[in-house]
Amino acid sequence: MSQGKFYLTTPIYYASGKPHIGHAYTTIVADALARFHRLVGYKVHFLTGVDEHGSKVVEKATEAGVSPQEYVDSLDPHFRSLWQTLDITHDDYIRTTEERHTTQVQVIFQRLYDQGDIYKRNYEGHYCVPCEAFWTERQLQEGNLCPDCGRPVTWVTEESYYFRASKYAERLLAHIRENPEFIQPATRANEMVNNFLLPGLEDLCVSRSGLKWGVPVPFDPEHVIYVWIDALSNYITALNYATTDNALYTTFWPADLHLVGKEITRFHCLIWPIILMALDVPLPRTVLGHGWLLFDEEKMSKSKGNVVDPNDIVAEYGSDPLRYYLLAKVQLGHDANFSNELFNLVFNVDLANDFGNLLSRTVAMIENFCGGTVGPLGELEPLDLELKTVLEGLPARVREAIEKLDPATALGEIWKVVGHCNKYIDSSAPWALNRQGKKERVATVLYLVGESLRYIAVLLQPFLPQTAPRLFQQLGLGDKPELMTWLSVQSFGQLPPGTIVRKGEALFPRKVVRAEDTKQEDKVVNQNQASDSSPMPEFKPQITIEDFAKLDLRIAKVIACEKVPKADRLLQMTLEVGNTTRTIISGIAEHYSSEELVGKLICIVANLEPAKIRGIASHGMLLAASDDAHTQVILLEPGKPLPTGLRVK
């Protein structure tokens, strides 16, 4: 069912170096928005590309000992390869050296010149080569520094063509005030108005005579068209605006969203709309200037050596974890921190433990309790109805967040349901119901969780495109595309009873940092050992307060659990202890199932010397009560919810 059209763009990335995580962030956000709009029925056109002209390209090419064209040709494959690695579904990819672009830029320049909006005069002023930007004296920082990048500017004197930007300033100011959605977030709009429009917008230099690498001015080949009027026009030249075959332009323009970094907001929110006004072309609906990704709270830069290569992250974790982090943990429009430690923590907690374990424990219980087949949905109890209500409202909440250009909130809503499902399993305790022979009730509980996972899989398709198909496959829905659509989550209960689940590999194998192996090879730590066979064990010898103070007892949460292969009594648990995770091996498999333990708050000895058990390093000990015969083992749990990592005194 068609919902209309949706045209969105990334900036065309400057071809002065290989792409980094900043490029990846913008493009991943755009891709998720494009995919979601396709999911709900929009006709989508998603454009990205590279900006290949300008003095910085000449500078880099000279350093490399090649021509500018050879230099940009060598960089282009890196961008294309990264978009393939990150599963980017762009509909078009434009290079500003392509003939389809350069010929239309000349048409646009000629049109503006013919109508009197471009004129010629000598230019003297400050120019920033890295930013390809001209600055006035009052705009400089500390006398000689570019206000965008903070690097020194150079003084340029040359004959140039100018665009009458001042002619359209009042009209643009009115448009910004009348259309609050035009510049997002609102802080960017205030910046444009207060820092540029109200002080007075000056005419814009739009050609260079001292530079030969660029699109030649059609009526004056001694000049090349300055990079910004060249680069910005790509958003309409890619749609064949200035050609006779302009069906794409008439279908998709105006753009619904230009997604750019905040450092180039000025060009997209001032220069570009004024050019469009001069051409009598409708303005884009929204320009969103997102924040920067900081590495350990510092802006990434090559000079600091802290630029993150997304290819390295994908090689270790896969593309979906990177997509998840950038979409879920970065609030669009604001700066955000990135660090390897934080990324690994998000991977372990959100993806491996909360989400991945939800799928694995659900499929395992359907296999163990229902013969691997989804059972029928029986009578619903209050706990079931609560989950059903939360689930039925999920698609609308996710869509509302996306329409507000807020993918972090959209994924947050999905993860609330992930958490609700985990709590629902813990509260319903299907393992206990199964022991009691309540097969119909077990089937109902697991049906509800299975249908919840189907909803989650449908809604995750735009965000985690590699994970969603694996989720469908394990749910036994890999051959049922009709259950993967937006329409299929508009009514509850579409998961067919009788569906055979197919347990597969863990969606996100945990990345647990283990301590070095100790010399205690195969030493089994038995925290349930009693001292004798009397009804009440004798007290052990007294210790001093100093002895007790050596113990570090902490609150921990079981976030994942599985049996140790070929060891009937041993469970391997991953615990959240504050902002860290650790593995503990415990011999309680006869008393607790893996599914039963996930989500529990327990007490542990956190500073016990590590031991290697069945080849797995165990870092700590659980606290439990037991009778002498070990017929009953009960973990010690806090009486109410407490933060993990809290010290037990």
Side-chain angles (χ1 to χ4, degrees):
M1 183 171 61
S2 177
Q3 298 286 327
K5 68 90 179 175
F6 186 72
Y7 177 38
L8 80 161
T9 71
T10 70
I12 48 172
Y13 301 111
Y14 201 32
S16 60
K18 294 179 182 179
H20 52 69
I21 198 168
H23 302 100
Y25 170 56
T26 312
T27 314
I28 285 171
V29 172
D31 182 69
L33 295 173
R35 286 175 178 268
F36 189 88
H37 281 81
R38 293 189 194 105
L39 178 68
V40 300
Y42 281 83
K43 186 176 183 179
V44 172
H45 196 75
F46 170 21
L47 173 69
T48 190
V50 283
D51 174 11
E52 298 180 316
H53 291 133
S55 54
K56 191 173 182 180
V57 169
V58 175
E59 181 182 288
K60 292 288 186 179
T62 301
E63 291 174 2
V66 297
S67 70
Q69 187 65 60
E70 289 172 325
Y71 180 76
V72 296
D73 285 347
S74 71
L75 285 177
D76 178 64
H78 293 283
F79 285 91
R80 294 182 187 269
S81 174
L82 181 59
W83 302 157
Q84 186 174 6
T85 297
L86 296 175
D87 298 300
I88 305 301
T89 57
H90 51 280
D91 298 286
D92 195 2
Y93 176 96
I94 192 167
R95 299 176 62 182
T96 56
T97 53
E98 292 180 67
E99 185 179 359
R100 63 162 173 162
H101 174 74
T102 59
T103 55
Q104 291 185 77
V105 167
Q106 290 181 314
V107 171
I108 290 170
F109 197 93
Q110 183 74 57
R111 189 174 299 171
L112 294 173
Y113 179 78
D114 290 344
Q115 66 189 40
D117 281 323
I118 287 179
Y119 63 94
K120 192 176 189 180
R121 71 175 172 87
N122 287 332
Y123 174 78
E124 286 190 351
H126 303 283
Y127 180 68
C128 177
V129 174
C131 293
E132 300 283 0
F134 293 99
W135 300 102
T136 63
E137 194 77 34
R138 63 178 173 78
Q139 291 171 330
L140 296 178
Q141 301 293 320
E142 300 179 20
N144 192 47
L145 300 181
C146 171
D148 274 355
C149 71
R151 284 171 281 200
V153 296
T154 57
W155 184 260
V156 175
T157 301
E158 63 182 49
E159 185 182 65
S160 300
Y161 285 94
Y162 275 75
F163 173 62
R164 299 185 193 277
S166 57
K167 174 181 174 181
Y168 298 92
E170 286 298 321
R171 182 175 162 187
L172 176 59
L173 181 61
H175 182 85
I176 292 172
R177 288 172 169 169
E178 293 167 7
N179 298 274
E181 77 285 353
F182 175 55
I183 302 176
Q184 294 294 322
T187 52
R188 305 273 187 270
N190 294 335
E191 179 187 352
M192 296 302 107
V193 170
N194 296 326
N195 294 355
F196 298 102
L197 288 174
L198 291 182
L201 198 63
E202 299 184 2
D203 287 353
L204 181 71
C205 178
V206 291
S207 80
R208 299 289 306 276
S209 59
L211 183 69
K212 301 305 178 184
W213 175 244
V215 180
V217 170
F219 50 84
D220 190 346
E222 294 301 313
H223 288 253
V224 296
I225 297 171
Y226 174 54
V227 66
W228 282 109
I229 199 169
D230 165 14
L232 290 165
S233 296
N234 91 93
Y235 302 126
I236 53 177
T237 63
L239 300 178
N240 299 326
Y241 158 75
T243 69
T244 56
D245 182 17
N246 62 355
L248 275 175
Y249 172 78
T250 57
T251 299
F252 286 106
W253 192 262
D256 295 275
L257 175 65
H258 287 323
L259 189 63
V260 301
K262 67 179 182 180
E263 70 278 6
I264 55 173
T265 304
R266 179 173 71 97
F267 306 104
H268 287 79
C269 295
L270 298 178
I271 298 173
W272 178 228
I274 282 177
I275 292 172
L276 293 173
M277 287 176 175
L279 293 171
D280 197 26
V281 169
L283 270 57
R285 290 192 173 90
T286 299
V287 179
L288 191 150
H290 65 70
W292 287 327
L293 278 180
L294 309 176
F295 186 81
D296 286 335
E297 306 298 344
E298 289 189 345
K299 185 181 177 183
M300 295 186 193
S301 72
K302 292 180 180 178
S303 61
K304 293 180 180 179
N306 63 354
V307 174
V308 177
D309 186 345
N311 289 291
D312 294 340
I313 298 174
V314 173
E316 182 174 356
Y317 292 88
S319 61
D320 276 4
L322 178 59
R323 288 176 66 105
Y324 176 79
Y325 184 94
L326 296 177
L327 292 167
K329 302 304 177 181
V330 179
Q331 194 66 44
L332 192 59
H334 301 276
D335 292 348
N337 193 41
F338 180 94
S339 71
N340 295 327
E341 293 78 11
L342 187 58
F343 181 83
N344 191 74
L345 181 63
V346 168
F347 178 90
N348 277 334
V349 175
D350 287 19
L351 296 177
N353 302 322
D354 291 349
F355 177 42
N357 193 62
L358 172 63
L359 174 65
S360 62
R361 70 195 297 210
T362 300
V363 172
M365 286 188 290
I366 293 174
E367 288 185 336
N368 295 335
F369 305 154
C370 304
T373 301
V374 175
L377 185 65
E379 184 177 349
L380 300 184
E381 298 182 359
L383 199 64
D384 310 329
L385 292 170
E386 181 185 355
L387 175 58
K388 179 175 178 288
T389 299
V390 170
L391 190 65
E392 288 177 324
L394 179 61
R397 294 194 300 274
V398 172
R399 182 168 186 170
E400 180 183 6
I402 291 298
E403 288 175 347
K404 292 180 179 178
L405 303 177
D406 190 357
T409 294
L411 276 165
E413 291 293 338
I414 295 173
W415 249 253
K416 285 179 184 177
V417 173
V418 170
H420 197 119
C421 286
N422 278 317
K423 291 178 181 177
Y424 172 77
I425 291 172
D426 295 339
S427 300
S428 301
W431 48 87
L433 295 171
N434 186 65
R435 286 197 295 265
Q436 297 165 14
K438 298 180 179 180
K439 296 294 186 181
E440 292 182 2
R441 179 65 189 149
V442 170
T444 295
V445 168
L446 296 180
Y447 181 94
L448 278 161
V449 181
E451 176 70 340
S452 298
L453 281 165
R454 187 186 69 82
Y455 266 64
I456 290 169
V458 170
L459 296 172
L460 278 183
Q461 291 175 106
F463 309 103
L464 307 183
Q466 289 192 3
T467 301
R470 297 171 62 197
L471 189 52
F472 284 123
Q473 194 67 33
Q474 293 201 38
L475 290 173
L477 303 176
D479 59 348
K480 294 181 173 60
E482 69 278 7
L483 297 181
M484 306 175 190
T485 65
W486 177 255
L487 182 62
S488 76
V489 292
Q490 302 310 301
S491 57
F492 175 84
Q494 301 299 307
L495 179 62
T499 299
I500 300 173
V501 298
R502 298 176 176 86
K503 188 173 183 179
E505 295 181 357
L507 293 180
F508 302 101
R510 293 182 301 279
K511 303 287 186 181
V512 179
V513 179
R514 304 182 188 277
E516 291 184 359
D517 293 343
T518 70
K519 295 181 180 180
Q520 299 172 299
E521 295 291 330
D522 298 319
K523 174 184 175 183
V524 178
V525 179
N526 185 356
Q527 65 267 38
N528 304 310
Q529 188 175 33
S531 60
D532 61 22
S533 58
S534 60
M536 176 178 172
E538 293 181 2
F539 290 110
K540 292 183 178 181
Q542 289 184 348
I543 61 173
T544 66
I545 190 66
E546 289 78 12
D547 291 330
F548 178 77
K550 294 177 181 178
L551 292 176
D552 190 355
L553 307 180
R554 301 282 180 137
I555 300 297
K557 181 181 180 181
V558 183
I559 53 179
C561 184
E562 59 190 2
K563 282 191 173 183
V564 175
K566 299 180 181 179
D568 293 339
R569 297 176 57 246
L570 298 181
L571 291 177
Q572 177 180 340
M573 282 169 279
T574 301
L575 306 180
E576 175 191 297
V577 188
N579 61 356
T580 65
T581 60
R582 64 171 61 199
T583 297
I584 288 182
I585 307 298
S586 177
I588 59 172
E590 296 174 345
H591 307 282
Y592 289 91
S593 66
S594 299
E595 297 81 12
E596 190 176 359
L597 284 171
V598 173
K600 276 188 179 295
L601 286 175
I602 60 175
C603 301
I604 67 167
V605 181
N607 62 336
L608 189 68
E609 184 180 5
K612 197 168 186 183
I613 304 170
R614 293 299 178 97
I616 304 169
S618 180
H619 301 274
M621 175 187 290
L622 313 184
L623 298 184
S626 171
D627 58 21
D628 291 334
H630 305 297
T631 58
Q632 188 176 25
V633 174
I634 301 173
L635 290 173
L636 300 187
E637 304 177 47
K640 61 180 180 180
L642 292 173
T644 65
L646 197 67
R647 194 184 299 278
V648 180
K649 299 180 180 180

